[in-house]
Structures are given as C-alpha cells and as structure tokens.
Amino acid sequence: MRRLIAVPRSAYVRVGIVLAALSLTACKPKDRGPDTAKSDTTATAPKLPGQLAKPIDQYTGDEFYALVQGLTWGGGVQRPRACKGDPGCDGTTPSKSTTVQVDAVDGQDSLTAIGGPADGVVAIRAVNTGSLVEDRYGFKPGKNVQYYLIVLPGTDSAGTWRLEELDTTAGARRHSSAGTGTFRPCNHPFLPKRANRANFYTCPNSRMNDTSQKAGLLLFAPLKDPLWMDCAQGCCLADG
C-alpha cells in the first residue's frame, strides 16, 4: 500500500506564488520598447507670447491690433535713422534724419531664426516718431501707424521676416505687408538679460554695444543698420 505524504498548506501557497510569478514573466515580451508616452523628446515647445494662431493674412485689422496690444513690450531704444522724400535726406552729409523707436516682446529671448512656428511670431515693434519716412524699411511717420516684424521659418541656416504695417485708427484698422527678407542669425554667444533686446545693429558692431555694460554707449549713429534683436542664436538681424 502506497503511503501518502502530508504536505503543509503553507507549501501550497508558496508554490502558487512562484507559478504566478513565472506566468507573468513568460507573458511579458522581452523586446518591449521604451514607454514613448514618457520618453518623447519632440514634445511641442511652449507657445511664445507673440506667436500667431493663423497666417497673418487671415487676421482682420482689429484681430491683429488686439494681438499686439495684448503683448508686453520693452528692451528697446529710440535711434536716429536715415530718411527719404526730402532734399535734406540726400547727399553724403544729409542735414535731416528721422527717429524710430523699436521694442521687443517680453519673454521671447528664446525665439529662434531656424525652424520657428509655421505661422510666425511677432518679434519687434517699430514706430517712426519723427516727421520723415525712414529710408531702409520705409517706416512712415504718424501717430496711427505702427510696424511689426514677424519672424517666419526659412532655410536650415536662416529664417525669414515680414514687416507688417498696422493702421490703428479706431473703426478703420487694417494691416498690410511692408516688406520681407532674411532673418539672419549672428551666432554670437547667448547673453541673458541684455539691456537692449531690440535695436539697429550689424552683427559686428552689436558685439560692442549689446551688453548690459555698454548698451548706453553708441559708438556711431546706425542710420542705416538693420533691425536687430536678441534671439536663441545670440542675436538676429532683419536683412534685406
């Protein structure tokens, strides 16, 4: 007669736990990839304050006015600029000029010249505070006329820009393109908290003027220098 061996109940419990663990291990695929929901490094970048929600030509005058009025501006300067349309503006030593105030949008020093938002980003505001038309960009004088530089994607090495003229007259607000060009990075080291974030410089002379210590020292009058702003590539220019 075969003798049965009594097995303690606790032993059955331990065996059950081991078998369950083996079952879970066998069901888990060995080649499972990483959790892409947690490791995705291509997540959408935070929206910039001046980022357009649609192409600029789809904005009404009132919509565009509301957008730019809702932005916080600063870090700019007022500079003398070469003028046109008056005999005093001509010649090697012109007797007349105009003045233009430029400002940058707060919170946008990370704006890039390469691969920015498809619909563009409002980056600089320019207002001709003089009495004559500015020569390089055609900024017109007048209390109801403002200009906005919109940065758009371009090539692998530079972006593009569009200058938008805005008539702020209540009840008749409208906007239109006033020029386009290349938004070129200077590829200087990024300097946070610059005293000036919008100005008129070339890449070489911005090195001498765009730091907090030297921002107030204008080595020469940039009467025809391009629009300049700080950006992710150190600083960027609105070239023709």
Side-chain angles (χ1 to χ4, degrees):
M1 178 181 296
R2 182 178 296 177
R3 184 177 182 181
L4 298 177
I5 301 174
V7 179
R9 181 178 179 84
S10 59
Y12 284 110
V13 174
R14 287 195 295 271
V15 171
I17 293 174
V18 172
L19 290 174
L22 291 174
S23 176
L24 289 173
T25 303
C27 293
K28 182 179 179 181
K30 296 181 180 179
D31 58 349
R32 182 180 179 182
D35 186 349
T36 56
K38 297 179 181 179
S39 62
D40 184 8
T41 58
T42 60
T44 302
K47 183 177 178 181
L48 297 168
Q51 186 171 332
L52 299 180
K54 56 186 176 181
I56 181 60
D57 290 326
Q58 294 182 14
Y59 278 79
T60 66
D62 287 330
E63 286 176 334
F64 188 57
Y65 176 80
L67 170 66
V68 296
Q69 286 295 111
L71 299 174
T72 303
W73 300 89
V77 294
Q78 182 170 272
R79 293 295 189 216
R81 297 290 291 169
C83 58
K84 62 182 180 181
D86 186 284
C89 300
D90 303 328
T92 55
T93 56
S95 60
K96 293 184 178 181
S97 64
T98 192
T99 54
V100 175
Q101 171 74 37
V102 291
D103 291 285
V105 177
D106 284 348
Q108 286 195 161
D109 59 359
S110 61
L111 178 64
T112 178
I114 304 166
D119 292 328
V121 180
V122 177
I124 296 177
R125 178 182 63 193
V127 179
N128 187 336
T129 58
S131 59
L132 297 168
V133 177
E134 189 266 351
D135 182 60
R136 178 162 186 155
Y137 297 99
F139 298 135
K140 300 173 185 176
K143 63 179 182 179
N144 294 327
V145 183
Q146 299 175 352
Y147 293 87
Y148 294 90
L149 187 80
I150 299 172
V151 178
L152 294 153
T155 66
D156 291 339
S157 59
T160 59
W161 57 264
R162 170 170 165 166
L163 189 66
E164 204 69 8
E165 179 182 299
L166 174 64
D167 184 339
T168 64
T169 304
R173 295 189 181 109
R174 58 185 178 83
H175 65 90
S176 60
S177 175
T180 59
T182 301
F183 192 64
R184 182 166 62 89
C186 291
N187 296 316
H188 293 171
F190 177 76
L191 297 176
K193 298 181 180 180
R194 283 191 174 101
N196 291 164
R197 294 181 290 111
N199 213 317
F200 292 100
Y201 287 142
T202 62
C203 285
N205 71 38
S206 70
R207 287 182 177 273
M208 298 180 285
N209 291 286
D210 66 7
T211 64
S212 298
Q213 293 78 17
K214 297 182 179 180
L217 301 177
L218 187 64
L219 302 185
F220 50 88
L223 294 178
K224 293 187 177 183
D225 280 357
L227 280 166
W228 170 100
M229 66 172 291
D230 63 351
C231 66
Q233 287 78 31
C235 53
C236 296
L237 306 178
D239 276 349

